[in-house]
Each structure stands twice: as structure tokens, then as C-alpha cells.
Amino acid sequence: MPKVTIDNKVYEFEGRPKLLQFCMEHGIEIPYFCYHSAMSVPANCRQCLVKVGNPQVDRATREPVLDDDGNPVIQYFPKLQTSCSMDMTDGLVVHTHRTDELVARAQRDNLEFLLANHPLDCPICDQAGNCPLQNQAYKYGPEGSRFEFDKVHKPKKIELGPRVMLDGERCINCTRCVRFTSEISKSNQLTIIERGVKNYPLTPPGVVFDEPYSMNVIDICPVGALTSKDFRFRARAWEMSKTPSIVTGTSRGSNCYYWVKDNEVMRITARTNVEVNGYWLADVDRLNYRKFNDARPLGPDMVSEGARVSTDWDGAYERAATLLRGVSGDEVLFIGSAHASVEDNYLLMKLADHVGASAPVYIPHVEAGSGDDWLVTDDKAENAQGCERLGMHPVDETVVRARLDSGAIKLVYVMDEDPVASGLFTADQLKSVDVVLHYYNTTNETFPVANVSLPAATIVETIGTFVNDQGHAQRVRPVKAIQSMNRSLMMETGLSRQDRHATPFDKWSKAENKVNCQPGWVTIPEIASRLNLDLNYKSPKAIMAEIESSNPAFSGATYDAMGLTGARLAEVGTTV
Amino acid sequence: MSGHGAEIVTLPKINPADAIPADKLVFTAEEKAQLQEYKSRYPEAEGAVMRGLWFAQEKFGFLPPEVIRLVADELGIEYARAYGVATFYTQYYKQKMGKYVLDVCTCFSCQVCGGYDMLHHLEEKLGIKPGETTDDGLFSIQGVECLGACGSAPMLQVTNGPYVFNLTEDKLDALVDSLRSGKMPPFTSVTLPQDEEEMGGNRRSDAAAVATYQTPPVAGAVE
Ligand code: SF4
Ligand code: FES
Ligand code: FES
């Protein structure tokens, strides 16, 4: 196998990888800006310089030339090379800044050039604290600058489109954003205009940067030149925690980070998962986070003597159990949810089975024709595939409506759904029956007719498994704390700097932003135990372990196997 | 440096009104065929972008966004790409220019030899700033990057045509006067050192006219 020597250490490689990509994959850090694994290599930032050479070979004998000590003589390229554009060949000898002073100096000087006209407005820049230019300037750059003259000034508040703002001065002209529009999204809405110090990216006149994937350029911009109109100036990077999870509103389960400050989701950015979403996210998937912050219930409540009264959790569990006790199994319609995790739906199935009802159905959320061929799917629910694999089926509207109208259904048990808003029933139809409702938002249209309502933890407040439309099973982690949970004790939650270093008495711990809700894997076992069914698992992990071992459709989907990037399940009906 | 203050780059108008009326914004069948011929010279359509833009500038006089878009559509390339190319080169006029465009080089060598002084002299003389056009529509001035004649710095180019070398303020005054009377400066060629033999030891066809400039034969200078 061909070999390469990097900083005096020998590595083997296959094919013809680019040197920078190879170093990235082997934990050898080299500073860089313009390179992106998914796009073409323009080698324009010049930050990734390294010294490279090949062992000298005697032309006559074809033998390597050795020096007096018997070591091969290396013939170095006359100039430093950009590692991002360097094809690796057998025998290549590479020196990074770790083993070569000239490389270190070239990287330092290059940063001085990149900063010559950079405004250094980090104190008011959204990217500060999370900025490759800032980080690398600290790490590899000079301490000062020899460019002691007025900087070139460029427009700073350019609305490129409805979602993306540009600060021309901060741009280092790496062309990543332009390459994204020409190579990845193919919208071709951006170009670099002018030249030299006047360069910056812009839409040509008459074009608005409004493509449905426009916000990806904010993620890949290595400086703070491109910012999100939605997020601008709302939080500093170090005030937020950043937790890996998946987005909602699509059945693709694109991987993302949720950024949380004071227990409110502030923004969603892309997380790389080559098997699911690559490096990208659709704009709609980034902007639908307000539902996690706004219109959240204050706590459980129930209808008592005709009036809605708030209650404590025990009161709500008891009421739900009482309602279930009062009817026979075939009089209950259980509605599970394609928005809820596999674990929660599984527990609901067990509860339905225990009371003698037929298996829960789920309400599909398919909007035909609304998807694209990329990350936006027709199916707007996150876990229809997980429901199917559990053996749940989409609700047969005509049948259940007829049963409701004929009085055959006396109790509708709804978990994390809104049958009124989705058009399954009207609110009036539900007035004649009892309704138990687990719900996310007070805007839920079934909520006004529910007899007992239990605020449910959303995907950002729970632990669970979701299966995307391609059969990729992925775990979600709690992103923000709920009232019953101390975020630093929940080991899975992403922690911000404040979480780690501050006390709960500091001003940024806003208790009022903690929602009084509970995940299904807490509430359903509570109700079940009042009906003499023991569903107390140690954790969602244990629930999933049971599903994995008992249901072949989930074979391989243990928490450990899913990890951060998920596990691809075999297609239903096939075995691995 | 002489206190110009910071350089300010301005934002181009995002939605300018069309400068060319819709009925004029067309290529004739012959012109279209010509553009296709340019396109066929390159392995990819994008290769023809510069020739195509130049062709359109010759036809329309300048390249407002709608013309750039027309060229891009005709060549089957991306409008954004064509716009980026058009803005890169000062030789493509993005707006209507004066009859005479004076491109004063303010790049390294010319700057050191007084390029900015020449530009400022023109600014004062014509009462316009770089990028502007005189009210009579006769002159536009621009500060441009190296035009590849550093050996005769400072220099300027007239309307993408002849170069005027070794500028002085007097020379600029004379140039403006002669242009006002409709007289373009003559084309001057600068040859390579190996041709100096043929040119009597001088490398420039206007050697006789340029008192300040006499290239000693290379061989002699090296001695
Ligand atoms: S705006 Fe950002 S991504 Fe685009 S060229 Fe400038 S630095 Fe690169
Ligand atoms: S990453 Fe190599 S030149 Fe930019
Ligand atoms: S610097 Fe002016 S022509 Fe080269």
C-alpha cells in the first residue's frame, strides 16, 4: 500500500486522496478556510500551506539517493504547496507547521494578509467564539499586524435574500458560498463581484438569494460575513449549549445542532451525517424551532364539574386512568403519533393492549408534492416509518369517523397529536366522548375538548428513537431542560459554558423557560401503573433494547449502535 | 500616502432600472450566430464568456445587467457567473461612459511614479471623480489596475484603445485638448527586447516623439 510521511510519521493510504482531507481524517490539524470536503478545490485562501517533497531517486540506478548517514535525500518542491489541492502519491514526505518553521511562518504571514482588511469587529459579530478565522488567528496568526493604514470599507448590511445577511468587510473571499450555489444547490444565485481588495460575494442585480437551502452558506462561511437574519444579534456562541439531534417537520431526520440559551432554542444548524443529510439542512428545517419555545402549556389540567382546572401530575394520571377504567377496551380509540419516538409509541401500544383495545393508529402528515428530491420530504412527520415498523398503521378515517358517530367509541386517547387540526374529527364530534390528550402546544386544536391534558415533552426535551424515511434509526437527546429535570444531571444534555461554570442563582438560568411537561416514557408508565400494568423501564435505552431484541424490524437499533449518526435498518420484510 | 482616506467600496444597485429598452435588447440572427461561433471555440460554453461580453459591449456601448443576462442566456451560461466576470474587469463598462474613457493606472509601479497624482489632476481638470462622467458626455475617468506597461509608468489607456505613456500633467492637458478636438492619441507599440535591433535600439514605435524616453540598447546597458 502506498505510504506518506507526515511530520516524520508514516501513514498508509489508498487511492489518491487530497493531502488536507487525509490529514483531517487522521487528526492532523492544518489550518484552512476555503476547502470543503463536499465541494471543488479552488485553493484560494492559501492558509493550508505545507512543505512537501519526494525521495530523490538516482536516474541511472533508479535507487533512492542516500545521504552520508544513510537516510534518503528528500527533494522538496521549490515552494510550499497548498495541502488542500495536493494529490497524495506514494513516498510523499510532508512537513506541517509542527516540524517546519517556514510552514509556520507562511501560515502566520498568510493570516496577517487575510486580516489586513478584516474589520475585526468580533465584539459585535455573531460568529465570534465559533469562528474559524478567529480561532486560527489565535492559534496560528501573528500577534499584531504590520498593516497600519486605513482598511478598505465595504457595505456591511446587505440583505442577500429573505434569510441571509452579508457583511462584505468580514468576507475573506473563500468562495465557499458561491460554490455552494453553483455546485451543491445549483441555484447559481451568488457570484464574487469586483476584484482584489474590492471582492465580495453578491447576487447579480435583479436576483434575490432566496433558494430553499440558502442558509447553508451561513454554516459554511468561515467568518461572520454571512449571518442569519432570524438569529442575528440574539445570542453569543458561548452563551448557548449546542446539542446534536435531528430536525422536525420532515421525515428525513436531517442531523442538526440545537443551540439553546436560557432554556430556549435560539437556532438550528446543520450537523454532518453523510448517510442522511450530508452537510446540509433545508431552510424550513432550520426555522421551525419556535414551537419549542412558544405557546407551551403551563402544566397538566383536566375538566372537573364542567370547568377546566389545573392539576398536579398525579391528579392528571389518576384522571386518565379513571377514564380508561370506565370503558371497555373496544370503546377506546388510541391515537399514537408519527411525531413521537419509537419508545413512546411502543409503550402506548402496550397500554392499549393491556386495556384490550386495538392497536394505536397514527395520523399521517403527508403533503403530496411539497417535497423536493433532496432534504424536504412530502411526509412532514418525523417518525411514520418508526410507527410502521412497530406495527402501527395510518388511521382509516372513514372507519373511525363512523365508529365515533355510531357511539362505538367512548374514549379517544391521543398521544402527541392533534386529530382536530389534522381534520380527522371536528371539535364538536369530540365533545360527545372523553378525550385524554398528551400535547406539545396550547395551540393544539383538540386541547379545548380534552377532558384531561398532559403536556408532553417535545423532540428537544426527550430521549428517544426516530426512524427516517430511508430506514435510518437515530436517537434524539434532550436539548433543553424541562421542569422535572436538572439539565446538568441529565448526562445526555448538551451543556453551555454557563451550565458548566455557573450556579443556578446566576441571572441566565431562567427557571420560567423550563416547561412543565413530561416525556411519554414517564407519563404512560405512570398511567399504566394505575391500571396494574408495569411499564417501568430503567430508561428509554432499556425500552429500545427490548424493542430491538423482540422486533426484527428494529434489529441493530440499540442506543450504542445508533450513537451520534444513527444505524441503517434493513428494509422491512428483508433480513440482513 | 497622500491622505486619500480609506477606500470605500460601494454596493452596486440591487435593482437598477433597465438602461436598454426592451425592443432594443435583442441580438439579430447574425449576432446570435456569431455568439454561437464564439461558443464553439471552447470546450465549455463558459469559455466564451469574455468574448461574448466584449461583443455585447461593442453593440450596446456598455454592459448594464440586462445585457449581461442576455449574453449569459444566449451562451447558455449562468447569469451570476457572467456578472462576476463583467465586474472583475474595468474594461467592461457596467454603466454608460463618456466618449473618452481615461483609465489611469494606479497599480504598483504607476502609483510609485505618480499614478494617483495623474488621476487627481484629471479629477480637478474635468471636475469629476473616478467612475463619473463629465456633463458634456465626453470624458469618464477610472483608476485601474496594472495594464502591463509598468516600464513606462505612469500611464493611462484611452477607451480600451491606445496607451499614453510617461504621463505628466502637461501631457494630460495636451491629451484632453486633443481629445476635445476629436483627435485620438496614436497607437504605440512596445516591443520585446529581442526586436530592438530592428527598431534602431529603441523598443517603442513612438521613441522619436518621447523626449524623456530613450532605451539604451540592452547590450550597452549591461556592459
Ligand atoms: S461570504 Fe463567507 S463563505 Fe462567502 S466567500 Fe466570503 S468568507 Fe467565503
Ligand atoms: S484550504 Fe487550501 S488554499 Fe484554502
Ligand atoms: S503598474 Fe501601471 S502599468 Fe503596471
Side-chain angles (χ1 to χ4, degrees), chain B residues 104-112 115 144-156 163 165:
Chain B
V104 183
C105 176
T106 50
C107 203
F108 302 108
S109 314
C110 291
Q111 193 178 114
V112 173
V144 301
E145 303 306 327
C146 183
L147 291 167
C150 319
S152 313
M155 56 78 67
L156 65 70
Y163 282 10
F165 302 106

Side-chain angles (χ1 to χ4, degrees), chain A residues 20 32-35 43-48 82-84:
Chain A
L20 178 61
Y32 70 96
F33 297 107
C34 68
Y35 181 78
N44 62 25
C45 75
R46 315 309 289 176
Q47 190 57 49
C48 65
T82 48
S83 56
C84 64

Side-chain angles (χ1 to χ4, degrees), chain A residues 298-532:
Chain A
L298 293 174
D301 57 32
M302 58 192 189
V303 175
S304 177
E305 292 165 4
R308 180 177 294 279
V309 292
S310 53
T311 174
D312 58 10
W313 284 97
D314 278 333
Y317 299 145
E318 192 52 49
R319 171 60 68 89
T322 309
L323 291 176
L324 280 167
R325 264 186 233 113
V327 289
S328 73
D330 55 4
E331 292 169 329
V332 194
L333 171 67
F334 277 93
I335 300 180
S337 176
H339 296 307
S341 67
V342 169
E343 290 84 339
D344 290 358
N345 279 300
Y346 177 74
L347 294 180
L348 188 72
M349 289 174 87
K350 290 209 148 191
L351 179 64
D353 187 54
H354 177 71
V355 301
S358 45
V361 290
Y362 73 90
I363 301 176
H365 294 277
V366 178
E367 294 169 22
S370 65
D372 55 25
D373 287 339
W374 196 3
L375 300 177
V376 180
T377 53
D378 282 357
D379 185 355
K380 303 299 173 206
E382 300 77 24
N383 204 18
Q385 169 92 213
C387 292
E388 290 285 345
R389 283 175 187 257
L390 281 171
M392 288 165 62
H393 295 295
V395 60
D396 185 332
E397 300 191 1
T398 12
V399 171
V400 297
R401 273 189 209 128
R403 287 188 63 214
L404 189 78
D405 290 342
S406 70
I409 296 174
K410 296 221 161 56
L411 172 63
V412 180
Y413 191 110
V414 185
M415 184 183 79
D416 299 7
E417 257 305 347
D418 189 347
V420 174
S422 62
L424 181 59
F425 305 125
T426 65
D428 276 345
Q429 276 174 311
L430 289 177
K431 274 185 187 144
S432 55
V433 294
D434 288 326
V435 177
V436 178
L437 176 71
H438 298 254
Y439 70 126
Y440 297 143
N441 293 97
T442 50
T443 47
N444 185 307
E445 292 173 32
T446 311
F447 170 58
V449 293
N451 297 68
V452 48
S453 19
L454 304 109
T458 59
I459 198 167
V460 297
E461 293 150 331
T462 192
I463 300 173
T465 304
F466 289 75
V467 185
N468 85 350
D469 59 344
Q470 300 164 325
H472 205 77
Q474 314 191 78
R475 284 170 61 186
V476 301
R477 293 164 175 73
V479 160
K480 62 200 279 271
I482 55 180
Q483 274 186 23
S484 59
M485 160 186 133
N486 178 330
R487 49 182 305 151
S488 59
L489 291 180
M490 284 295 305
M491 302 304 280
E492 304 246 16
T493 314
L495 297 180
S496 70
R497 197 168 165 273
Q498 276 88 342
D499 286 322
R500 285 195 206 95
H501 304 296
T503 75
F505 306 107
D506 288 320
K507 63 181 183 326
W508 48 71
S509 302
K510 278 200 194 138
E512 64 265 37
N513 288 342
K514 288 191 188 175
V515 180
N516 187 11
C517 61
Q518 288 285 13
W521 50 267
V522 171
T523 49
I524 300 202
E526 286 281 0
I527 295 167
S529 73
R530 287 166 172 79
L531 299 165
N532 303 318

